[in-house]
Amino acid sequence: MTGTVPSGPPTAAAAGFNRLLCTKLLPPRPWPGCMERPELTSVLSARAGPGRLTFVEAPAGWGKSTALAAWLRTVPGPAAWYSVDESDNDAVRFWSYVLAGLAGANEEGTGVGCRSGRLLAAPGTSVLDDVVPVLVNELCARTAAVTLVLNDYHRIRDPQIHATLGRLIEHLPPSLSLVVSSRFGPPSTWPINRLRAENILVEVGAEDLRFTRAQAAQLLTKEVCTPLSDADIDVLYDRTEGWPAGLHLAALSLQGCTDLHGLITAFSGTVRHITDYLMEEVLDRQPPPMRTFLRRTSILDRMCASLCDRVTDGDDASGQLHRAEQELQFLTVLDNEGSWFRYHHLIADVLQRELQHTEPELIPVLHRRAAAWHQEHGLAVDAVRHALAAEDVATACDFITTDYVQVANDGQLATVLGWFDAIGEPAVCSDTDLLAARAMTALIANDLSVAKSWIDLAVHADADAGGRSRADLGAKEALVQQFYSYACGDMGRALGWSREALRLIPQDQVWHDLSRSNAAFVDTRLNHFDEAVEGHLRTLAQADATNHHLLAVRAIGGLCKLFVLRGERDAAREWLDRADTDVRFRILDEHYQTHRRHLVHGWLELADGRPEVAEPPLTRAYQLVRRGSARLEHVEVLTTLARAREQLARDGDAAGLRAAADQILSTCPDPGHLLGPPAEDETAATHPRVPGPHPLTQRESTVLAVLATGATNAEIARRLYLSERTVEAHLRSIYHKIGVRSRSAATRYALDNNLT
């Protein structure tokens, strides 16, 4: 999920996603001549309802979508519809649509999907363990019922999506009526047997969807426009077994036929045979341009006139679409404006088989045209999918390197990783741009060790090729190394990489703002407090100017903690008040970067002697910080929470937290300055700066004061949450500034200057 790249203004990709919402979250409109089936609507109304799972299973052409859309129009109360397609095999993408649909179905103030949506967008959270449980709670808090229809669920193959939806079904809220339609049965991981035993599962199949003999007669009479004998109707009904699509195709094939009885007599065989036979009859009667249009546009999941003109290299798609919808009734309208369509699934299958049979060499060309159109319209996921379908790996790679940041930053990391898998590791490793993109994807996912591995490969590949072939490779290497070093607690390396990143990354890139933000945290840990304040303030100004919420949250949270470290509690409280009222902290309240606000709240309450007030925000800080990967932030939260629980006489909990903190700290090569619990945090508030021509820094004064108690370097490090290496560096600086060469002389200096 989105990790480090700040949220920014709407982009073409975001606009494309919003356009897709319009087509995926609306039930299909009734097609011309669509028969009303009130008895089927009554059956669904009687069986489906709040607290139940309704599973509609039938092959293509049985009218699942049409029946559910007609029923949904009669359902009282709010309802959400989501038509699944192949590109939705990404848990974050899938649940983004589900939550968007539920949010659109909300009455004002119900809040369904609010916190679960923020969790979905937060890095380090699990859809299974975090998002779905919160959504269940949100739905359980409702009193009014809400209906959610997931149409064409058979297109989902991702086991994670099956597991997450299974978790929702396992704890089905009493307010939710969940309806799932599919060509196949439910996944084996769902608790179907228990639901069936508890009468929570409603099963609707082909037997429920088939036409009655009277309905078949009504449809055939209406669509054929030529009277049919009862015997002929009986033959057609028996051969199709009430299959809605078969009856509709039969009616289309009979229109204008001079030998109705002969054609009806020839109408036999399996469903596949009947379908192909009837489609052949229907398609043979179409003008060649229309038949070509139908065949060539069948590669599209969703289509509009502009897209069809590009794919077919024509200029009459609008008219052709209108005829396909109105006369042939091959299309379903997907939006309120009547500009987006899809083929009925059965018809699409037949048209695609005909395309494969008649023009196989054209299929890659059609996909390339579709890929170009989707790329131009900000629909990156579809653009890459069509490029891969065309086996045009070069174009797919170009699209990936252009769009991976936005798609990954939208939380669709599984989609981006699927792209890299699809083009194959050899292709990735042969191109430094792709290697860098793979590294930056891992950086966005906050998987820093993986990011470092890929950027190392990119650098080595470029070196083997004779030097840097891409101007920004060095900048990306510096950024990844900067974040990796900081997360590992190696401040010396982090400082060097911070300077390199800020030198190499152009200032008009968001990566530069992110690097400057992280550099401010590095400066804080190295006691470069003035530089850190300046860095955070510049970052905040940029965030305010560009509407980058995550940058603002990082900067304000960093300033809150920075002023606590400096011993300036009044300033810390002022910045904390700003954080408490800043709407960006509420928008991103599930993001791990907001943990600093809760940490400082708890720290200040603990400093004021109120551990019972400090413990809740510190617990919340712990919940959030665990979603990130920065070790030192973990240590600070763990030790402060441990002190709060010690003061609340929860010594067992505290001991476990301190042990965890010690273990993490032992892995940090050079942690620098850490914020400890108030009773243990020796700062300038208790030890003023030493006067003189070479005054000690705040941290040096603290180290000297602890040394004067007789503590060893290891004890100083443990007490102040520093590494021994950092303590040794501080002591060298102290000895030089106060002009001594031994621990005893340094102790006398501390006593003479009242530093103990």
Side-chain angles (χ1 to χ4, degrees), residues 312-334:
T312 62
D313 195 24
D315 59 6
D316 188 31
S318 180
Q320 304 280 40
L321 287 170
H322 179 78
R323 182 160 183 263
E325 180 211 358
Q326 296 291 324
E327 298 179 25
L328 298 177
Q329 300 171 9
F330 281 3
L331 296 175
T332 295
V333 182
L334 298 177

mmCIF file with all atom_site columns, all heavy atoms in Angstrom, residues 312-334:
data_model
loop_
_atom_site.group_PDB
_atom_site.id
_atom_site.type_symbol
_atom_site.label_atom_id
_atom_site.label_alt_id
_atom_site.label_comp_id
_atom_site.label_asym_id
_atom_site.label_entity_id
_atom_site.label_seq_id
_atom_site.pdbx_PDB_ins_code
_atom_site.Cartn_x
_atom_site.Cartn_y
_atom_site.Cartn_z
_atom_site.occupancy
_atom_site.B_iso_or_equiv
_atom_site.pdbx_formal_charge
_atom_site.auth_seq_id
_atom_site.auth_comp_id
_atom_site.auth_asym_id
_atom_site.auth_atom_id
_atom_site.pdbx_PDB_model_num
ATOM 1   N N   . THR A 1 312 ? -10.845 0.263   -34.162 1.00 0.00 ? 312 THR A N   1
ATOM 2   C CA  . THR A 1 312 ? -11.225 -0.209  -35.504 1.00 0.00 ? 312 THR A CA  1
ATOM 3   C C   . THR A 1 312 ? -10.659 0.654   -36.610 1.00 0.00 ? 312 THR A C   1
ATOM 4   O O   . THR A 1 312 ? -10.843 0.333   -37.790 1.00 0.00 ? 312 THR A O   1
ATOM 5   C CB  . THR A 1 312 ? -12.757 -0.235  -35.632 1.00 0.00 ? 312 THR A CB  1
ATOM 6   O OG1 . THR A 1 312 ? -13.274 1.099   -35.465 1.00 0.00 ? 312 THR A OG1 1
ATOM 7   C CG2 . THR A 1 312 ? -13.371 -1.156  -34.589 1.00 0.00 ? 312 THR A CG2 1
ATOM 8   N N   . ASP A 1 313 ? -10.018 1.768   -36.236 1.00 0.00 ? 313 ASP A N   1
ATOM 9   C CA  . ASP A 1 313 ? -9.492  2.718   -37.221 1.00 0.00 ? 313 ASP A CA  1
ATOM 10  C C   . ASP A 1 313 ? -10.622 3.234   -38.116 1.00 0.00 ? 313 ASP A C   1
ATOM 11  O O   . ASP A 1 313 ? -10.474 3.357   -39.337 1.00 0.00 ? 313 ASP A O   1
ATOM 12  C CB  . ASP A 1 313 ? -8.402  2.059   -38.078 1.00 0.00 ? 313 ASP A CB  1
ATOM 13  C CG  . ASP A 1 313 ? -7.578  3.100   -38.855 1.00 0.00 ? 313 ASP A CG  1
ATOM 14  O OD1 . ASP A 1 313 ? -7.538  4.272   -38.401 1.00 0.00 ? 313 ASP A OD1 1
ATOM 15  O OD2 . ASP A 1 313 ? -7.005  2.744   -39.888 1.00 0.00 ? 313 ASP A OD2 1
ATOM 16  N N   . GLY A 1 314 ? -11.755 3.526   -37.466 1.00 0.00 ? 314 GLY A N   1
ATOM 17  C CA  . GLY A 1 314 ? -12.919 4.018   -38.196 1.00 0.00 ? 314 GLY A CA  1
ATOM 18  C C   . GLY A 1 314 ? -13.406 5.340   -37.642 1.00 0.00 ? 314 GLY A C   1
ATOM 19  O O   . GLY A 1 314 ? -12.741 5.974   -36.825 1.00 0.00 ? 314 GLY A O   1
ATOM 20  N N   . ASP A 1 315 ? -14.609 5.751   -38.107 1.00 0.00 ? 315 ASP A N   1
ATOM 21  C CA  . ASP A 1 315 ? -15.157 7.029   -37.648 1.00 0.00 ? 315 ASP A CA  1
ATOM 22  C C   . ASP A 1 315 ? -16.675 6.961   -37.443 1.00 0.00 ? 315 ASP A C   1
ATOM 23  O O   . ASP A 1 315 ? -17.337 7.989   -37.317 1.00 0.00 ? 315 ASP A O   1
ATOM 24  C CB  . ASP A 1 315 ? -14.809 8.157   -38.627 1.00 0.00 ? 315 ASP A CB  1
ATOM 25  C CG  . ASP A 1 315 ? -15.343 7.883   -40.034 1.00 0.00 ? 315 ASP A CG  1
ATOM 26  O OD1 . ASP A 1 315 ? -16.067 6.880   -40.218 1.00 0.00 ? 315 ASP A OD1 1
ATOM 27  O OD2 . ASP A 1 315 ? -15.019 8.672   -40.941 1.00 0.00 ? 315 ASP A OD2 1
ATOM 28  N N   . ASP A 1 316 ? -17.237 5.737   -37.404 1.00 0.00 ? 316 ASP A N   1
ATOM 29  C CA  . ASP A 1 316 ? -18.684 5.623   -37.261 1.00 0.00 ? 316 ASP A CA  1
ATOM 30  C C   . ASP A 1 316 ? -19.053 4.742   -36.071 1.00 0.00 ? 316 ASP A C   1
ATOM 31  O O   . ASP A 1 316 ? -20.093 4.079   -36.065 1.00 0.00 ? 316 ASP A O   1
ATOM 32  C CB  . ASP A 1 316 ? -19.298 5.028   -38.540 1.00 0.00 ? 316 ASP A CB  1
ATOM 33  C CG  . ASP A 1 316 ? -20.823 5.074   -38.514 1.00 0.00 ? 316 ASP A CG  1
ATOM 34  O OD1 . ASP A 1 316 ? -21.371 6.014   -37.895 1.00 0.00 ? 316 ASP A OD1 1
ATOM 35  O OD2 . ASP A 1 316 ? -21.460 4.166   -39.083 1.00 0.00 ? 316 ASP A OD2 1
ATOM 36  N N   . ALA A 1 317 ? -18.223 4.738   -35.052 1.00 0.00 ? 317 ALA A N   1
ATOM 37  C CA  . ALA A 1 317 ? -18.478 3.855   -33.915 1.00 0.00 ? 317 ALA A CA  1
ATOM 38  C C   . ALA A 1 317 ? -19.771 4.221   -33.201 1.00 0.00 ? 317 ALA A C   1
ATOM 39  O O   . ALA A 1 317 ? -20.491 3.341   -32.720 1.00 0.00 ? 317 ALA A O   1
ATOM 40  C CB  . ALA A 1 317 ? -17.308 3.899   -32.941 1.00 0.00 ? 317 ALA A CB  1
ATOM 41  N N   . SER A 1 318 ? -20.087 5.495   -33.143 1.00 0.00 ? 318 SER A N   1
ATOM 42  C CA  . SER A 1 318 ? -21.296 5.913   -32.428 1.00 0.00 ? 318 SER A CA  1
ATOM 43  C C   . SER A 1 318 ? -22.535 5.258   -33.035 1.00 0.00 ? 318 SER A C   1
ATOM 44  O O   . SER A 1 318 ? -23.384 4.707   -32.322 1.00 0.00 ? 318 SER A O   1
ATOM 45  C CB  . SER A 1 318 ? -21.421 7.437   -32.450 1.00 0.00 ? 318 SER A CB  1
ATOM 46  O OG  . SER A 1 318 ? -22.580 7.855   -31.765 1.00 0.00 ? 318 SER A OG  1
ATOM 47  N N   . GLY A 1 319 ? -22.638 5.295   -34.357 1.00 0.00 ? 319 GLY A N   1
ATOM 48  C CA  . GLY A 1 319 ? -23.784 4.682   -35.024 1.00 0.00 ? 319 GLY A CA  1
ATOM 49  C C   . GLY A 1 319 ? -23.796 3.176   -34.888 1.00 0.00 ? 319 GLY A C   1
ATOM 50  O O   . GLY A 1 319 ? -24.859 2.556   -34.695 1.00 0.00 ? 319 GLY A O   1
ATOM 51  N N   . GLN A 1 320 ? -22.637 2.560   -35.000 1.00 0.00 ? 320 GLN A N   1
ATOM 52  C CA  . GLN A 1 320 ? -22.557 1.112   -34.876 1.00 0.00 ? 320 GLN A CA  1
ATOM 53  C C   . GLN A 1 320 ? -22.943 0.653   -33.469 1.00 0.00 ? 320 GLN A C   1
ATOM 54  O O   . GLN A 1 320 ? -23.647 -0.355  -33.297 1.00 0.00 ? 320 GLN A O   1
ATOM 55  C CB  . GLN A 1 320 ? -21.133 0.629   -35.196 1.00 0.00 ? 320 GLN A CB  1
ATOM 56  C CG  . GLN A 1 320 ? -20.612 1.041   -36.561 1.00 0.00 ? 320 GLN A CG  1
ATOM 57  C CD  . GLN A 1 320 ? -21.143 0.150   -37.686 1.00 0.00 ? 320 GLN A CD  1
ATOM 58  O OE1 . GLN A 1 320 ? -22.309 -0.228  -37.680 1.00 0.00 ? 320 GLN A OE1 1
ATOM 59  N NE2 . GLN A 1 320 ? -20.286 -0.155  -38.642 1.00 0.00 ? 320 GLN A NE2 1
ATOM 60  N N   . LEU A 1 321 ? -22.485 1.381   -32.464 1.00 0.00 ? 321 LEU A N   1
ATOM 61  C CA  . LEU A 1 321 ? -22.842 1.034   -31.092 1.00 0.00 ? 321 LEU A CA  1
ATOM 62  C C   . LEU A 1 321 ? -24.342 1.167   -30.874 1.00 0.00 ? 321 LEU A C   1
ATOM 63  O O   . LEU A 1 321 ? -24.965 0.328   -30.201 1.00 0.00 ? 321 LEU A O   1
ATOM 64  C CB  . LEU A 1 321 ? -22.080 1.923   -30.099 1.00 0.00 ? 321 LEU A CB  1
ATOM 65  C CG  . LEU A 1 321 ? -20.584 1.636   -29.940 1.00 0.00 ? 321 LEU A CG  1
ATOM 66  C CD1 . LEU A 1 321 ? -19.917 2.736   -29.123 1.00 0.00 ? 321 LEU A CD1 1
ATOM 67  C CD2 . LEU A 1 321 ? -20.364 0.286   -29.273 1.00 0.00 ? 321 LEU A CD2 1
ATOM 68  N N   . HIS A 1 322 ? -24.913 2.220   -31.431 1.00 0.00 ? 322 HIS A N   1
ATOM 69  C CA  . HIS A 1 322 ? -26.357 2.426   -31.272 1.00 0.00 ? 322 HIS A CA  1
ATOM 70  C C   . HIS A 1 322 ? -27.132 1.249   -31.881 1.00 0.00 ? 322 HIS A C   1
ATOM 71  O O   . HIS A 1 322 ? -28.078 0.740   -31.274 1.00 0.00 ? 322 HIS A O   1
ATOM 72  C CB  . HIS A 1 322 ? -26.768 3.734   -31.948 1.00 0.00 ? 322 HIS A CB  1
ATOM 73  C CG  . HIS A 1 322 ? -28.237 4.007   -31.860 1.00 0.00 ? 322 HIS A CG  1
ATOM 74  N ND1 . HIS A 1 322 ? -28.822 4.496   -30.712 1.00 0.00 ? 322 HIS A ND1 1
ATOM 75  C CD2 . HIS A 1 322 ? -29.238 3.850   -32.779 1.00 0.00 ? 322 HIS A CD2 1
ATOM 76  C CE1 . HIS A 1 322 ? -30.133 4.633   -30.922 1.00 0.00 ? 322 HIS A CE1 1
ATOM 77  N NE2 . HIS A 1 322 ? -30.400 4.249   -32.166 1.00 0.00 ? 322 HIS A NE2 1
ATOM 78  N N   . ARG A 1 323 ? -26.721 0.797   -33.056 1.00 0.00 ? 323 ARG A N   1
ATOM 79  C CA  . ARG A 1 323 ? -27.421 -0.315  -33.706 1.00 0.00 ? 323 ARG A CA  1
ATOM 80  C C   . ARG A 1 323 ? -27.200 -1.618  -32.932 1.00 0.00 ? 323 ARG A C   1
ATOM 81  O O   . ARG A 1 323 ? -28.133 -2.422  -32.769 1.00 0.00 ? 323 ARG A O   1
ATOM 82  C CB  . ARG A 1 323 ? -26.933 -0.470  -35.142 1.00 0.00 ? 323 ARG A CB  1
ATOM 83  C CG  . ARG A 1 323 ? -27.651 -1.584  -35.882 1.00 0.00 ? 323 ARG A CG  1
ATOM 84  C CD  . ARG A 1 323 ? -27.555 -1.440  -37.396 1.00 0.00 ? 323 ARG A CD  1
ATOM 85  N NE  . ARG A 1 323 ? -28.338 -2.507  -38.022 1.00 0.00 ? 323 ARG A NE  1
ATOM 86  C CZ  . ARG A 1 323 ? -27.824 -3.647  -38.462 1.00 0.00 ? 323 ARG A CZ  1
ATOM 87  N NH1 . ARG A 1 323 ? -26.516 -3.859  -38.400 1.00 0.00 ? 323 ARG A NH1 1
ATOM 88  N NH2 . ARG A 1 323 ? -28.602 -4.574  -39.003 1.00 0.00 ? 323 ARG A NH2 1
ATOM 89  N N   . ALA A 1 324 ? -25.984 -1.825  -32.449 1.00 0.00 ? 324 ALA A N   1
ATOM 90  C CA  . ALA A 1 324 ? -25.703 -3.045  -31.691 1.00 0.00 ? 324 ALA A CA  1
ATOM 91  C C   . ALA A 1 324 ? -26.530 -3.107  -30.418 1.00 0.00 ? 324 ALA A C   1
ATOM 92  O O   . ALA A 1 324 ? -26.921 -4.191  -29.962 1.00 0.00 ? 324 ALA A O   1
ATOM 93  C CB  . ALA A 1 324 ? -24.217 -3.126  -31.352 1.00 0.00 ? 324 ALA A CB  1
ATOM 94  N N   . GLU A 1 325 ? -26.802 -1.924  -29.854 1.00 0.00 ? 325 GLU A N   1
ATOM 95  C CA  . GLU A 1 325 ? -27.620 -1.898  -28.641 1.00 0.00 ? 325 GLU A CA  1
ATOM 96  C C   . GLU A 1 325 ? -29.105 -1.991  -28.958 1.00 0.00 ? 325 GLU A C   1
ATOM 97  O O   . GLU A 1 325 ? -29.831 -2.815  -28.387 1.00 0.00 ? 325 GLU A O   1
ATOM 98  C CB  . GLU A 1 325 ? -27.351 -0.607  -27.861 1.00 0.00 ? 325 GLU A CB  1
ATOM 99  C CG  . GLU A 1 325 ? -28.169 -0.505  -26.577 1.00 0.00 ? 325 GLU A CG  1
ATOM 100 C CD  . GLU A 1 325 ? -28.512 0.916   -26.187 1.00 0.00 ? 325 GLU A CD  1
ATOM 101 O OE1 . GLU A 1 325 ? -28.086 1.859   -26.885 1.00 0.00 ? 325 GLU A OE1 1
ATOM 102 O OE2 . GLU A 1 325 ? -29.236 1.069   -25.186 1.00 0.00 ? 325 GLU A OE2 1
ATOM 103 N N   . GLN A 1 326 ? -29.577 -1.161  -29.888 1.00 0.00 ? 326 GLN A N   1
ATOM 104 C CA  . GLN A 1 326 ? -31.012 -1.035  -30.114 1.00 0.00 ? 326 GLN A CA  1
ATOM 105 C C   . GLN A 1 326 ? -31.581 -2.196  -30.927 1.00 0.00 ? 326 GLN A C   1
ATOM 106 O O   . GLN A 1 326 ? -32.629 -2.732  -30.585 1.00 0.00 ? 326 GLN A O   1
ATOM 107 C CB  . GLN A 1 326 ? -31.292 0.290   -30.838 1.00 0.00 ? 326 GLN A CB  1
ATOM 108 C CG  . GLN A 1 326 ? -30.938 1.532   -30.032 1.00 0.00 ? 326 GLN A CG  1
ATOM 109 C CD  . GLN A 1 326 ? -31.863 1.736   -28.851 1.00 0.00 ? 326 GLN A CD  1
ATOM 110 O OE1 . GLN A 1 326 ? -33.052 1.450   -28.952 1.00 0.00 ? 326 GLN A OE1 1
ATOM 111 N NE2 . GLN A 1 326 ? -31.323 2.230   -27.753 1.00 0.00 ? 326 GLN A NE2 1
ATOM 112 N N   . GLU A 1 327 ? -30.901 -2.588  -32.002 1.00 0.00 ? 327 GLU A N   1
ATOM 113 C CA  . GLU A 1 327 ? -31.465 -3.584  -32.910 1.00 0.00 ? 327 GLU A CA  1
ATOM 114 C C   . GLU A 1 327 ? -31.018 -5.001  -32.569 1.00 0.00 ? 327 GLU A C   1
ATOM 115 O O   . GLU A 1 327 ? -31.833 -5.912  -32.466 1.00 0.00 ? 327 GLU A O   1
ATOM 116 C CB  . GLU A 1 327 ? -31.091 -3.236  -34.352 1.00 0.00 ? 327 GLU A CB  1
ATOM 117 C CG  . GLU A 1 327 ? -31.642 -1.889  -34.826 1.00 0.00 ? 327 GLU A CG  1
ATOM 118 C CD  . GLU A 1 327 ? -31.234 -1.575  -36.254 1.00 0.00 ? 327 GLU A CD  1
ATOM 119 O OE1 . GLU A 1 327 ? -30.965 -2.521  -37.013 1.00 0.00 ? 327 GLU A OE1 1
ATOM 120 O OE2 . GLU A 1 327 ? -31.165 -0.384  -36.605 1.00 0.00 ? 327 GLU A OE2 1
ATOM 121 N N   . LEU A 1 328 ? -29.710 -5.165  -32.406 1.00 0.00 ? 328 LEU A N   1
ATOM 122 C CA  . LEU A 1 328 ? -29.211 -6.506  -32.116 1.00 0.00 ? 328 LEU A CA  1
ATOM 123 C C   . LEU A 1 328 ? -29.322 -6.861  -30.641 1.00 0.00 ? 328 LEU A C   1
ATOM 124 O O   . LEU A 1 328 ? -29.333 -8.038  -30.279 1.00 0.00 ? 328 LEU A O   1
ATOM 125 C CB  . LEU A 1 328 ? -27.746 -6.622  -32.554 1.00 0.00 ? 328 LEU A CB  1
ATOM 126 C CG  . LEU A 1 328 ? -27.481 -6.438  -34.049 1.00 0.00 ? 328 LEU A CG  1
ATOM 127 C CD1 . LEU A 1 328 ? -25.996 -6.511  -34.332 1.00 0.00 ? 328 LEU A CD1 1
ATOM 128 C CD2 . LEU A 1 328 ? -28.236 -7.484  -34.849 1.00 0.00 ? 328 LEU A CD2 1
ATOM 129 N N   . GLN A 1 329 ? -29.350 -5.839  -29.798 1.00 0.00 ? 329 GLN A N   1
ATOM 130 C CA  . GLN A 1 329 ? -29.434 -6.043  -28.353 1.00 0.00 ? 329 GLN A CA  1
ATOM 131 C C   . GLN A 1 329 ? -28.254 -6.872  -27.846 1.00 0.00 ? 329 GLN A C   1
ATOM 132 O O   . GLN A 1 329 ? -28.403 -7.768  -27.020 1.00 0.00 ? 329 GLN A O   1
ATOM 133 C CB  . GLN A 1 329 ? -30.778 -6.688  -27.997 1.00 0.00 ? 329 GLN A CB  1
ATOM 134 C CG  . GLN A 1 329 ? -31.963 -5.830  -28.406 1.00 0.00 ? 329 GLN A CG  1
ATOM 135 C CD  . GLN A 1 329 ? -33.296 -6.518  -28.260 1.00 0.00 ? 329 GLN A CD  1
ATOM 136 O OE1 . GLN A 1 329 ? -33.379 -7.595  -27.691 1.00 0.00 ? 329 GLN A OE1 1
ATOM 137 N NE2 . GLN A 1 329 ? -34.356 -5.903  -28.774 1.00 0.00 ? 329 GLN A NE2 1
ATOM 138 N N   . PHE A 1 330 ? -27.082 -6.563  -28.387 1.00 0.00 ? 330 PHE A N   1
ATOM 139 C CA  . PHE A 1 330 ? -25.846 -7.232  -27.989 1.00 0.00 ? 330 PHE A CA  1
ATOM 140 C C   . PHE A 1 330 ? -25.161 -6.526  -26.821 1.00 0.00 ? 330 PHE A C   1
ATOM 141 O O   . PHE A 1 330 ? -24.251 -7.085  -26.218 1.00 0.00 ? 330 PHE A O   1
ATOM 142 C CB  . PHE A 1 330 ? -24.857 -7.264  -29.160 1.00 0.00 ? 330 PHE A CB  1
ATOM 143 C CG  . PHE A 1 330 ? -25.147 -8.330  -30.185 1.00 0.00 ? 330 PHE A CG  1
ATOM 144 C CD1 . PHE A 1 330 ? -26.258 -9.149  -30.084 1.00 0.00 ? 330 PHE A CD1 1
ATOM 145 C CD2 . PHE A 1 330 ? -24.287 -8.519  -31.252 1.00 0.00 ? 330 PHE A CD2 1
ATOM 146 C CE1 . PHE A 1 330 ? -26.521 -10.132 -31.029 1.00 0.00 ? 330 PHE A CE1 1
ATOM 147 C CE2 . PHE A 1 330 ? -24.535 -9.496  -32.204 1.00 0.00 ? 330 PHE A CE2 1
ATOM 148 C CZ  . PHE A 1 330 ? -25.656 -10.303 -32.094 1.00 0.00 ? 330 PHE A CZ  1
ATOM 149 N N   . LEU A 1 331 ? -25.541 -5.279  -26.550 1.00 0.00 ? 331 LEU A N   1
ATOM 150 C CA  . LEU A 1 331 ? -24.798 -4.439  -25.622 1.00 0.00 ? 331 LEU A CA  1
ATOM 151 C C   . LEU A 1 331 ? -25.598 -4.113  -24.370 1.00 0.00 ? 331 LEU A C   1
ATOM 152 O O   . LEU A 1 331 ? -26.831 -4.015  -24.408 1.00 0.00 ? 331 LEU A O   1
ATOM 153 C CB  . LEU A 1 331 ? -24.385 -3.123  -26.282 1.00 0.00 ? 331 LEU A CB  1
ATOM 154 C CG  . LEU A 1 331 ? -23.410 -3.196  -27.459 1.00 0.00 ? 331 LEU A CG  1
ATOM 155 C CD1 . LEU A 1 331 ? -23.209 -1.812  -28.060 1.00 0.00 ? 331 LEU A CD1 1
ATOM 156 C CD2 . LEU A 1 331 ? -22.071 -3.756  -26.997 1.00 0.00 ? 331 LEU A CD2 1
ATOM 157 N N   . THR A 1 332 ? -24.875 -3.919  -23.289 1.00 0.00 ? 332 THR A N   1
ATOM 158 C CA  . THR A 1 332 ? -25.437 -3.414  -22.041 1.00 0.00 ? 332 THR A CA  1
ATOM 159 C C   . THR A 1 332 ? -24.898 -2.010  -21.814 1.00 0.00 ? 332 THR A C   1
ATOM 160 O O   . THR A 1 332 ? -23.685 -1.779  -21.936 1.00 0.00 ? 332 THR A O   1
ATOM 161 C CB  . THR A 1 332 ? -25.037 -4.307  -20.858 1.00 0.00 ? 332 THR A CB  1
ATOM 162 O OG1 . THR A 1 332 ? -25.621 -5.596  -21.034 1.00 0.00 ? 332 THR A OG1 1
ATOM 163 C CG2 . THR A 1 332 ? -25.513 -3.726  -19.539 1.00 0.00 ? 332 THR A CG2 1
ATOM 164 N N   . VAL A 1 333 ? -25.770 -1.065  -21.489 1.00 0.00 ? 333 VAL A N   1
ATOM 165 C CA  . VAL A 1 333 ? -25.347 0.309   -21.204 1.00 0.00 ? 333 VAL A CA  1
ATOM 166 C C   . VAL A 1 333 ? -24.830 0.370   -19.770 1.00 0.00 ? 333 VAL A C   1
ATOM 167 O O   . VAL A 1 333 ? -25.470 -0.152  -18.847 1.00 0.00 ? 333 VAL A O   1
ATOM 168 C CB  . VAL A 1 333 ? -26.514 1.295   -21.383 1.00 0.00 ? 333 VAL A CB  1
ATOM 169 C CG1 . VAL A 1 333 ? -26.044 2.728   -21.136 1.00 0.00 ? 333 VAL A CG1 1
ATOM 170 C CG2 . VAL A 1 333 ? -27.102 1.169   -22.781 1.00 0.00 ? 333 VAL A CG2 1
ATOM 171 N N   . LEU A 1 334 ? -23.692 1.032   -19.572 1.00 0.00 ? 334 LEU A N   1
ATOM 172 C CA  . LEU A 1 334 ? -23.024 1.015   -18.275 1.00 0.00 ? 334 LEU A CA  1
ATOM 173 C C   . LEU A 1 334 ? -23.100 2.325   -17.511 1.00 0.00 ? 334 LEU A C   1
ATOM 174 O O   . LEU A 1 334 ? -22.702 2.361   -16.342 1.00 0.00 ? 334 LEU A O   1
ATOM 175 C CB  . LEU A 1 334 ? -21.541 0.634   -18.463 1.00 0.00 ? 334 LEU A CB  1
ATOM 176 C CG  . LEU A 1 334 ? -21.275 -0.751  -19.040 1.00 0.00 ? 334 LEU A CG  1
ATOM 177 C CD1 . LEU A 1 334 ? -19.787 -0.961  -19.245 1.00 0.00 ? 334 LEU A CD1 1
ATOM 178 C CD2 . LEU A 1 334 ? -21.838 -1.833  -18.127 1.00 0.00 ? 334 LEU A CD2 1
#
